[in-house]
Amino acid sequence: MHTIFQPKIVVSENKRVSELEMMKRSLEIQLQEMAKTVQRQQEMIDLAKRDTLTGLRSRQGIAEKINALLKTDCKGTFFIMDMDNFKDVNDTYGHMEGDRVLVRFAKGLNKAVDVNDIVARLGGDEFVVFTPGYYGKDELRAKAQRIIRQIERELVAPGRLLRVTVSMGIASAPLDGTDYEALYGNSDKALYNVKNEGKNGYRFFSDISASESRCFEDVRPHSSLKEITRRLKERKMEGSYEVAYNDFEKIYRFMERNLIREHREVQCVLFTLDDYAGIDEAILQEQLAYLQHAVVSSLRKGDVTTKYSSSQVLALLMDVSGDNADVVVNRILEKYRMEVGKKEMRVLYDIQQLAASEEVH
């Protein structure tokens, strides 16, 4: 019989290797559990962003999702739609039947849209579809008709005497807006136009005349202050503060009178599309929309921008020196060139530092 003696140092080394293996295994188990926890949390977040009745996306997170897509490529079309006579369905057949109609509406909508579309139920019988990328008006007409026909086929129900039809408003980026809020607002105006003309159809915001669009402010529903402030708080501000020229002028005067005496540097920048004589008006509008989007999305929340004319955009850069203003402007022009591609026009710019108004002294 032979007895084998292991040196003490070898035994100690084997023990150390065994301990390290156990630690490694323990860490792997912990990492797996952490990964499962993260996955469960993500599933809960995703579930919270789903409408419990229809399974579509809910209002939560839809604006951020669409704005992120528009920031990458400012092209896309926003469809907003609801059911005509839906209140009559609830009143006549009850809310359970109303819920079944909403589920069928969502089913028809899912069948009609494309794989890359974002589809959501915002609440009640209000649904939206966002289609990324550029499509011609004929293609968008065909899509609107396809969506409406498919939904109405799903809404046919034996024994229900009331006919439920669909009305739709359409707005496209960048011409009708460069973010969710603008596209939602303008497509909603087009939807109201359809409702006002007898329902059961679709309308492009671009087809509404300027005089028609100006009257929409007068038809807002009577609301409480709590409802108004809730809607105001839902609007998340990204990029610079974009205003109408009259408001821009007031802000400019305010800065002259108050901010300049605090020794803060404010630069006023004018962007101008050059050599546009003879260019089709629609092309010029498209170019200006791309330029506006590049300006607004490239600046900070404290900066202010406005459309000055059909070929010019103004911006106020807060707390920016003259040297840094050139850097900011070059970043904006680079974004414009990237978004517009080969169709870019030459853009001129001029920078002037604000000086305190005489009444300050």
Side-chain angles (χ1 to χ4, degrees):
M1 180 177 179
H2 299 282
T3 303
I4 299 174
F5 294 96
Q6 284 186 312
K8 189 173 183 180
I9 188 169
V10 174
V11 174
S12 177
E13 195 66 33
N14 289 340
K15 183 178 179 183
R16 181 62 179 161
V17 170
S18 177
E19 289 174 348
L20 288 172
E21 289 291 337
M22 290 177 64
M23 289 175 62
K24 179 183 176 184
R25 179 58 183 160
S26 177
L27 284 171
E28 288 175 348
I29 293 172
Q30 289 180 46
L31 288 171
Q32 289 172 1
E33 290 300 318
M34 288 173 63
K36 290 178 182 177
T37 301
V38 170
Q39 183 179 356
R40 284 195 295 270
Q41 291 175 342
Q42 187 59 52
E43 289 172 353
M44 290 175 66
I45 292 171
D46 292 341
L47 188 61
K49 293 181 179 180
R50 290 284 170 181
D51 176 53
T52 54
L53 178 65
T54 64
L56 299 178
R57 289 178 181 269
S58 66
R59 180 185 293 273
Q60 184 181 358
I62 191 72
E64 291 85 349
K65 178 73 174 174
I66 292 175
N67 280 334
L69 288 171
L70 289 170
K71 198 169 184 179
T72 302
D73 180 12
C74 190
K75 300 184 189 75
T77 301
F78 193 95
F79 302 81
I80 187 169
M81 66 206 81
D82 65 17
M83 283 180 275
D84 305 321
N85 308 318
F86 181 63
K87 183 177 182 300
D88 293 339
V89 173
N90 278 330
D91 292 346
T92 305
Y93 300 101
H95 288 280
M96 288 185 66
E97 175 61 17
D99 285 348
R100 284 191 284 268
V101 170
L102 289 170
V103 171
R104 288 198 290 271
F105 188 108
K107 184 179 178 183
L109 190 54
N110 267 329
K111 287 181 179 179
V113 297
D114 299 315
V115 65
N116 292 326
D117 288 347
I118 297 173
V119 187
R121 178 192 175 206
L122 298 187
D125 64 331
E126 186 177 53
F127 294 78
V128 298
V129 174
F130 179 75
T131 300
Y134 173 79
Y135 291 89
K137 215 162 187 178
D138 288 341
E139 293 175 288
L140 295 175
R141 286 192 188 96
K143 182 164 189 169
Q145 292 166 359
R146 182 176 77 244
I147 290 173
I148 290 173
R149 283 197 302 269
Q150 184 61 53
I151 291 171
E152 290 183 348
R153 278 197 290 267
E154 291 290 337
L155 294 180
V156 173
R160 178 154 35 84
L161 300 179
L162 287 172
R163 182 188 175 213
V164 183
T165 55
V166 181
S167 291
M168 176 188 291
I170 308 168
S172 295
L175 286 180
D176 303 327
T178 58
D179 59 18
Y180 172 87
E181 289 78 12
L183 292 174
Y184 174 88
N186 288 334
S187 61
D188 193 50
K189 291 173 183 177
L191 173 63
Y192 177 84
N193 191 273
V194 175
K195 296 286 190 182
N196 205 37
E197 292 184 351
K199 307 178 181 179
N200 189 22
Y202 64 90
R203 190 76 181 266
F204 288 89
F205 174 74
S206 58
D207 292 338
I208 302 175
S209 68
S211 59
E212 283 180 302
S213 63
R214 279 196 295 270
C215 74
F216 282 103
E217 284 74 10
D218 299 328
V219 297
R220 291 193 183 104
H222 185 81
S223 300
S224 68
L225 179 58
K226 185 176 180 180
E227 290 170 329
I228 294 170
T229 54
R230 176 183 59 78
R231 287 195 293 269
L232 288 171
K233 288 177 181 178
E234 286 177 354
R235 292 173 61 91
K236 292 188 177 180
M237 183 177 166
E238 295 183 4
S240 68
Y241 181 40
E242 191 173 16
V243 297
Y245 178 71
N246 288 343
D247 295 324
F248 184 91
E249 185 177 11
K250 293 173 185 176
I251 294 169
Y252 184 98
R253 300 298 181 197
F254 174 80
M255 290 180 178
E256 276 189 321
R257 296 173 60 186
N258 296 282
L259 301 184
I260 302 303
R261 62 184 172 186
E262 298 176 8
H263 308 292
R264 297 173 65 178
E265 289 188 275
V266 180
Q267 309 293 332
C268 187
V269 185
L270 176 64
F271 297 90
T272 303
L273 292 170
D274 193 32
D275 295 333
Y276 63 86
I279 291 179
D280 184 86
E281 181 65 25
I283 295 176
L284 182 60
Q285 287 180 14
E286 183 182 40
Q287 290 285 330
L288 186 69
Y290 278 119
L291 179 58
Q292 280 184 280
H293 181 256
V295 172
V296 172
S297 61
S298 298
L299 298 183
R300 303 162 302 175
K301 292 182 180 180
D303 300 326
V304 185
T305 60
T306 188
K307 173 185 172 183
Y308 180 74
S309 70
S310 61
S311 60
Q312 292 180 304
V313 177
L314 269 169
L316 290 174
L317 311 183
M318 295 298 302
D319 300 314
V320 174
S321 67
D323 292 338
N324 287 337
D326 284 312
V327 175
V328 173
V329 167
N330 286 327
R331 185 171 70 239
I332 290 169
L333 296 180
E334 181 62 31
K335 186 173 182 63
Y336 163 74
R337 286 190 287 266
M338 180 183 68
E339 291 191 351
V340 79
K342 295 179 180 179
K343 298 183 292 181
E344 71 171 280
M345 293 176 62
R346 187 167 68 146
V347 180
L348 305 179
Y349 70 90
D350 190 22
I351 303 174
Q352 180 178 304
Q353 181 166 325
L354 267 69
S357 60
E358 292 181 2
E359 62 185 273
V360 172
H361 301 296

